[in-house]
Amino acid sequence: MRPGLRGAGWALRRAVLTRPAPRRRPPEVASPPQKRFHGEGYQEGYEEGSSLGLIEGRQHGTLHGARIGSEIGCYQGFAFAWRCLLHGSATEKDSKKMKALESLIGMIQKFPYDDPTYDKLHEDLDKIRGKFKQLCSLLNVQPDFKISAEGSGLSF
């Protein structure tokens, strides 16, 4: 190798080391109008979403509340009818039926219709359904509770 000349590797290293660093762009800063429009858009979207959420929630609650009310109303009508039918009976079998019947009526009367935040709503509803099934078994009745577009009802 001749003096004063260096290999190709040296030239490449020198080029890399002496090359200026790439210029970095400053972070983009949103201008005040952009910030304002972003904030206003967010606020409008939030208000619109809240409004639609209330409407949809009200519709959902109305639908499911009506179903539960219809179901419990059928149970109550069933219980009142059977209470009238069994009222004059004095047999031991009928006294058992009357106890179950009065228990069902009591549970229905204590049910919190007007408190949607009641935390045991579904538990109490399941207990009412269970008592209704027990009563149907004692009365030897085969119920078929259906909710349809035309309305609800029990068929026997």
Side-chain angles (χ1 to χ4, degrees), residues 75 78 82 132-146 153-156:
Y75 296 156
F78 176 84
W82 274 99
F132 174 73
K133 288 178 183 178
Q134 177 190 16
L135 182 60
C136 287
S137 176
L138 288 171
L139 296 171
N140 199 23
V141 174
Q142 298 295 321
D144 184 21
F145 184 77
K146 295 179 183 172
L154 287 170
S155 61
F156 302 95

Side-chain angles (χ1 to χ4, degrees), residues 7-101:
W10 172 255
L12 183 60
R13 276 184 282 185
R14 184 170 175 223
V16 169
L17 292 175
T18 59
R19 180 175 58 185
R23 295 182 64 189
R24 293 187 182 177
R25 299 172 106 184
E28 298 206 13
V29 179
S31 64
Q34 285 176 326
K35 286 183 181 178
R36 190 184 90 219
F37 292 137
H38 183 267
E40 288 175 4
Y42 173 83
Q43 188 62 35
E44 287 175 15
Y46 181 82
E47 289 170 5
E48 184 71 22
S50 295
S51 175
L52 289 175
L54 286 172
I55 292 168
E56 288 179 13
R58 188 172 292 124
Q59 290 171 345
H60 182 77
T62 300
L63 175 68
H64 289 286
R67 285 182 183 164
I68 290 173
S70 178
E71 181 180 356
I72 290 182
C74 286
Y75 296 156
Q76 188 174 27
F78 176 84
F80 286 158
W82 274 99
R83 184 168 63 180
C84 289
L85 292 170
L86 296 175
H87 186 62
S89 301
T91 65
E92 190 176 320
K93 277 186 171 181
D94 289 341
S95 69
K96 237 177 150 179
K97 294 174 188 176
M98 283 300 288
K99 279 185 179 181
L101 198 53

